[in-house]
Amino acid sequence: MAEQEKLRIDKYLWAIRLFKTRSLATEACKAGRIKLNGQNLKASAVVKPGDVYQVSKGIEKKVIEVVELLYNRVEAKIAVTKYKDITPEEETYGFKSMFHAPALKRDRGTGRPTKKDRRETDALTDDLFKEEE
């Protein structure tokens, strides 16, 4: 393979704008958050068109398929065309964001919560984040 034909996974993930910096993409690879066929990848793994990668970024999980190689970072409109997001719909909207959860605040000066208060709070949060069947 010629040098231009080889492309590292960390550089590709940075170029398609899944990560803000290349070093963040490298750290994600080292932490085992980038997978190919269930196997963790090193940052130096070579990307090929047609490969399907599982990318975990915080609570967000994506499954992407490489459509075309991209060697340099480009604007977002072009970068989106270089991969196909094949994340299942239930995973895309499956997690409940903390932005939609009610704010659990106590009035100032009320002191520490009692055991009863804590149980009520736990019951409320368990109901919010419980999987629907």
Side-chain angles (χ1 to χ4, degrees):
M1 285 184 153
E3 189 59 39
Q4 185 65 5
E5 293 178 19
K6 292 183 181 179
L7 180 63
R8 294 168 52 111
I9 185 67
D10 62 339
K11 187 170 183 180
Y12 180 75
L13 293 173
W14 165 75
I16 63 171
R17 296 179 169 264
L18 282 185
F19 289 94
K20 191 172 183 177
T21 65
R22 188 168 166 188
S23 60
L24 287 175
T26 304
E27 288 174 16
C29 290
K30 286 180 184 175
R33 293 191 294 263
I34 312 299
K35 298 178 188 263
L36 174 66
N37 300 328
Q39 299 290 327
N40 292 341
L41 293 177
K42 290 184 175 181
S44 62
V46 178
V47 178
K48 292 177 266 182
D51 286 348
V52 177
Y53 296 100
Q54 294 86 26
V55 180
S56 298
K57 190 175 160 188
I59 58 174
E60 182 181 15
K61 293 179 178 27
K62 285 190 172 210
V63 180
I64 63 166
E65 180 181 350
V66 178
V67 174
E68 191 178 336
L69 299 181
L70 187 60
Y71 294 92
N72 294 317
R73 195 170 172 100
V74 293
E75 63 183 81
K77 290 178 186 175
I78 297 170
V80 173
T81 64
K82 305 299 181 183
Y83 69 94
K84 190 174 8 173
D85 189 357
I86 56 174
T87 308
E89 181 114 4
E90 59 272 3
E91 281 190 30
T92 304
Y93 302 108
F95 65 89
K96 293 183 179 174
S97 175
M98 289 302 292
F99 297 112
H100 299 291
L104 302 173
K105 292 187 178 181
R106 294 178 51 82
D107 293 331
R108 189 177 179 104
T110 56
R112 293 179 59 180
T114 63
K115 240 183 197 181
K116 181 181 177 188
D117 293 337
R118 180 62 186 198
R119 285 189 201 115
E120 290 171 354
T121 304
D122 287 344
L124 179 63
T125 55
D126 287 344
D127 289 342
L128 283 174
F129 296 105
K130 187 169 42 173
E131 294 289 323
E132 284 99 27
E133 296 177 19

